[in-house]
Amino acid sequence: MESSKYLEDIASIKTMMSKSSRFMSLSGLSGILAGVYALIAAIIAHYLIQGHIQLFASSREDFLNLILRIFATAELAGNLIILFLVTLLLAIGTGIILTYKKAARNKESIWDSSSKRLIANFAIPLIAGGIFSIVLIQYGIVGLIAPATLIFYGLALVNASKYTLGDIKFLGLANVIIGLFATQFIGYGLYFWALGFGVFHIIYGAIMYNKYDRRN
């Protein structure tokens, strides 16, 4: 009996130590919604790109058409950037709100040493990937933007997994793998984005919701 109680006490101490060094209130539902936002954005982006391609598919490349193509390309790029920013803000906003509610239920602070370490370790690879993607745009190597963003995002998740739910590491590894795979299919980046940021997020969020959120 005493040895059993001793083992239980040791397990409780380990659990408390783990909670003190890890931010455990990430919401699985926010992962699902982020994936849904990403899929909707990918569908919209697909139709925007297809409409741009069809606009010039049969056009004659005279001076006027060249000017129209330049302005249409700039408009397309602007629309895609706006779409990306709106999707990102929706995902971040939803994540903050749902994580705050879960942290309140768990009586855990949303801004403490563990959440600060989580954000720092997540941000470093992510910022590096963002700068690298801008460099790719600078040199016109746009075909590698999708693989690069998936790889760096995956590395950010793996790096952050030490300070939150360990399961997030598998989402990161999955994104790194499909990012590397996408380097061999230049021109299909939008579909890999939809898979990594959309489908994988929905699957991960559903697993995390069933594993951690339902019992809270």
Side-chain angles (χ1 to χ4, degrees), residues 8-143:
E8 289 178 3
D9 291 340
I10 293 295
S12 298
I13 292 170
K14 286 183 177 179
T15 300
M16 286 188 293
M17 289 178 66
S18 175
K19 287 184 176 180
S20 66
S21 62
R22 290 172 177 255
F23 184 73
M24 307 298 287
S25 291
L26 290 182
S27 169
L29 184 58
S30 67
I32 295 173
L33 291 175
V36 171
Y37 299 152
L39 284 179
I40 293 172
I43 293 170
I44 295 172
H46 173 78
Y47 281 105
L48 287 174
I49 294 169
Q50 287 300 313
H52 175 76
I53 292 172
Q54 290 172 7
L55 182 64
F56 294 99
S58 59
S59 64
R60 190 164 51 87
E61 194 66 28
D62 55 17
F63 180 75
L64 179 59
N65 257 328
L66 180 61
I67 297 299
L68 290 174
R69 183 187 292 273
I70 291 170
F71 278 105
T73 302
E75 182 184 8
L76 174 65
N79 289 335
L80 290 177
I81 290 171
I82 292 171
L83 179 63
F84 167 77
L85 290 176
V86 170
T87 306
L88 182 64
L89 289 174
L90 279 173
I92 292 174
T94 302
I96 291 173
I97 292 170
L98 293 179
T99 297
Y100 178 81
K101 288 183 177 180
K102 184 177 177 181
R105 289 198 305 269
N106 294 342
K107 297 180 180 179
E108 183 178 11
S109 173
I110 196 173
W111 189 246
D112 55 15
S113 58
S114 60
S115 62
K116 291 175 184 176
R117 287 195 297 268
L118 168 63
I119 292 171
N121 281 270
F122 179 72
I124 292 170
L126 200 66
I127 293 172
I131 295 172
F132 183 70
S133 297
I134 292 172
V135 173
L136 291 176
I137 294 172
Q138 177 187 354
Y139 289 103
I141 315 174
V142 294

